[in-house]
Amino acid sequence: MKQIFAAVTAVFLMGSLAACGSSGETPKNQETGNGNAVVQSAANLLPKEVASSGVLTVGTPASSPPEGFKTESGALDGYEVQILEEIAGVLGLKVDWQITDFASLIPGLKSARFNVAVGQIGITRERAEIVDFVTLIRTNQAFAALKAAGLHDLTINDLCGKKVAIIQGSRQQEFGATQSKSCREEGKPAVDLSVFQSANDAWLAMQSKRAEIYWAGATNVGYLVSKSPEAQVVGHHLQPNPTGIALNKGSSVGPAIEAAFQHLIENGTYQRILEKWGLKDNGVTDAKLNPEITW
């Protein structure tokens, strides 16, 4: 399905990506939220050490709008940021945001550097073997290029010989390597993958013509194209599949996250956040911890 997700209209200016540490101020979500009212039945599911700390530590790249990014003031914003702030509020916790690159999210969970991680993390069988997931939204992948490049209606099979900017540790890196092998088997040049630490760096490579194509999640691609008149969406890959909130395998925080997120779905907070970011058709109807993977 070549589905172009609606672009969002929030103000965007990404700050520099820090290797680690707190992001600083976070949004209050008053316009979309439920006032962060504690739901005791969900809060009771927290492990004692997390409940007593009063803090939910969340890892994120903070470099991929509209999922999560820094505003001009340095505050974090984005739909994943707002959803996690609301989940924490339902559980009676404050969020401690830990900024890291995408490739460090799962290692950070495994080393207990943070409780959960977000960053448009696609739920895959391989990842589900080492971390747990709570479903968040459904999306697919998209390609963007400068309008002047004259590219249209691309599929992954059209990437042979193309210079493509992607993010380190992303599914695009895996898919690109597999496609390169297919290209060579067909006697075509391999995909020329340029791998970057952040979405910002990969996007700038395409804008500056150091790469022909930017390949990332469709929500991120649609957002960046909406802010760049010289660029356009030029193709899609995959059917829409879930991305999720990631947790360490067997994490005792998982049931509480699932219950709090389900509350936000049922009281309308979740849908209001998605609508604010132009993603009303990307929502899920149920919070599921470790969903069955059929895609």
Side-chain angles (χ1 to χ4, degrees), residues 150-172:
L151 300 174
H152 301 281
D153 299 320
L154 298 186
T155 70
I156 194 170
N157 296 323
D158 297 315
L159 300 186
C160 299
K162 296 285 194 302
K163 193 171 185 65
V164 182
I166 60 173
I167 304 163
Q168 184 174 359
S170 66
R171 296 189 74 192
Q172 291 79 27

Side-chain angles (χ1 to χ4, degrees), residues 83-102:
I83 290 169
L84 263 296
E85 287 282 338
E86 291 288 355
I87 286 173
V90 167
L91 297 175
L93 305 174
K94 299 291 186 182
V95 178
D96 175 16
W97 292 100
Q98 295 292 311
I99 310 304
T100 188
D101 57 86
F102 183 87

Side-chain angles (χ1 to χ4, degrees), residues 243-256:
T243 65
I245 302 167
L247 309 96
N248 198 11
K249 199 68 180 173
S251 170
S252 54
V253 178

Side-chain angles (χ1 to χ4, degrees), residues 67 113 173 202 224 231 250 273:
E67 285 74 39
R113 182 176 155 200
Q173 192 170 10
L224 294 175
I273 291 173

Side-chain angles (χ1 to χ4, degrees), residues 78-194:
Y79 73 84
E80 288 185 339
V81 172
Q82 293 186 341
I83 290 169
L84 263 296
E85 287 282 338
E86 291 288 355
I87 286 173
V90 167
L91 297 175
L93 305 174
K94 299 291 186 182
V95 178
D96 175 16
W97 292 100
Q98 295 292 311
I99 310 304
T100 188
D101 57 86
F102 183 87
S104 297
L105 291 177
I106 290 178
L109 290 172
K110 303 303 290 181
S111 65
R113 182 176 155 200
F114 24 79
N115 304 121
V116 304
V118 290
Q120 201 180 52
I121 307 173
I123 301 175
T124 67
R125 287 183 175 85
E126 293 77 15
R127 288 172 178 164
E129 290 179 357
I130 55 175
V131 296
D132 290 341
F133 282 104
V134 175
T135 52
L136 192 57
I137 68 164
R138 295 177 63 82
T139 185
N140 63 355
Q141 300 178 12
F143 310 118
L146 296 176
K147 292 176 181 177
L151 300 174
H152 301 281
D153 299 320
L154 298 186
T155 70
I156 194 170
N157 296 323
D158 297 315
L159 300 186
C160 299
K162 296 285 194 302
K163 193 171 185 65
V164 182
I166 60 173
I167 304 163
Q168 184 174 359
S170 66
R171 296 189 74 192
Q172 291 79 27
Q173 192 170 10
E174 172 193 345
F175 292 144
T178 301
Q179 182 58 32
S180 283
K181 181 179 178 181
S182 297
C183 294
R184 288 191 295 267
E185 289 173 350
E186 296 173 6
K188 300 176 183 178
V191 183
D192 186 359
L193 295 173
S194 293

